[in-house]
Each structure stands twice: as C-alpha cells, then as structure tokens.
Amino acid sequence: MVGSIGLTDAKIMGLKPPASGQVEIPDQLIPGLRVRIGSTGVRTFILRKRIGGKLRNITLGRYGPRFGLADARKKARGLLVDIEAGKDPTINLVTPRKSGAMAETVSGLCCKNREA
C-alpha cells in the first residue's frame, strides 16, 4: 500500500498503475474508504470495514466522470451509518452470476419472454 495522501480527483487521475497487481490508497477524510488502482489503470472505490467480525471490502463504484471522489465519500458515509446501526450492507448487494446460469442478456430475456 502506498503511504496516505489526501485524495483529490486530480490526484486520483494522476495515479500511475502498478506494473502488476493492484495498489490501494486510503482516504484521509472517510475511515475505510480507499481507491484501488490495478495494473490495467482502472480505479475503483472500495470501503474496507469489519462487519460481524469479518473484514469486508465493499465495492462502491468505478472512478469516472459519473462517479467521482465526492460521490464515493457520500456513498461510504451512508454505508458507515448503516454499519454503525448494526446493519450488514453486504446482504442486499447483487453478486454477478457465475457461468452456467442463464445470463441476463437481450437474447436470454427474449427467450424467457417467448416461453411465458
């Protein structure tokens, strides 16, 4: 992990991707909020928090024009409030389906509708 820096949108954009793997940089304002940058250059916001005795990484969203640092901080604050109230915000998260399950694609939906 890189040393703590005060995150700004400009600093996030200027982060250099690692040669391999990924690097996480913590936010100074919101405890547990981190930006993760992979070797491909993709920047993703995560919230790392202990929930029910387990350390969890909750993906908040991918950094970009529609989801910036202010959005990530707002979403993280909301989740932290829920966690402090005893709720587990990971219960309602949608997890991607593994291969073998019918994908929610246009053709998959089209076939479902024909069967009905």
Side-chain angles (χ1 to χ4, degrees):
M1 180 171 29
V2 174
S4 297
I5 58 172
L7 288 180
T8 64
D9 284 304
K11 286 183 182 179
I12 292 170
M13 286 300 299
L15 291 173
K16 302 273 188 238
S20 64
Q22 55 194 15
V23 176
E24 293 179 3
I25 295 94
D27 184 32
Q28 294 295 313
L29 295 179
I30 307 296
L33 178 63
R34 298 163 180 268
V35 64
R36 177 185 288 168
I37 181 168
S39 59
T40 61
V42 173
R43 293 153 177 85
T44 305
F45 290 107
I46 63 167
L47 180 64
R48 180 171 293 156
K49 186 73 176 165
R50 190 168 298 278
I51 303 169
K54 291 185 177 180
L55 194 60
R56 301 278 181 87
N57 287 327
I58 303 168
T59 302
L60 303 178
R62 195 178 268 187
Y63 180 79
R66 295 185 191 178
F67 192 76
L69 179 58
D71 301 309
R73 285 177 173 159
K74 182 177 180 181
K75 192 169 184 178
R77 281 184 190 110
L79 289 172
L80 288 170
V81 167
D82 288 345
I83 292 167
E84 294 302 319
K87 298 176 187 174
D88 183 352
T90 62
I91 289 175
N92 296 325
L93 292 179
V94 177
T95 55
R97 295 181 183 202
K98 302 291 181 202
S99 62
M102 179 172 231
E104 292 295 329
T105 61
V106 173
S107 62
L109 291 172
C110 187
C111 294
K112 274 193 215 177
N113 290 335
R114 285 189 202 158
E115 293 171 6

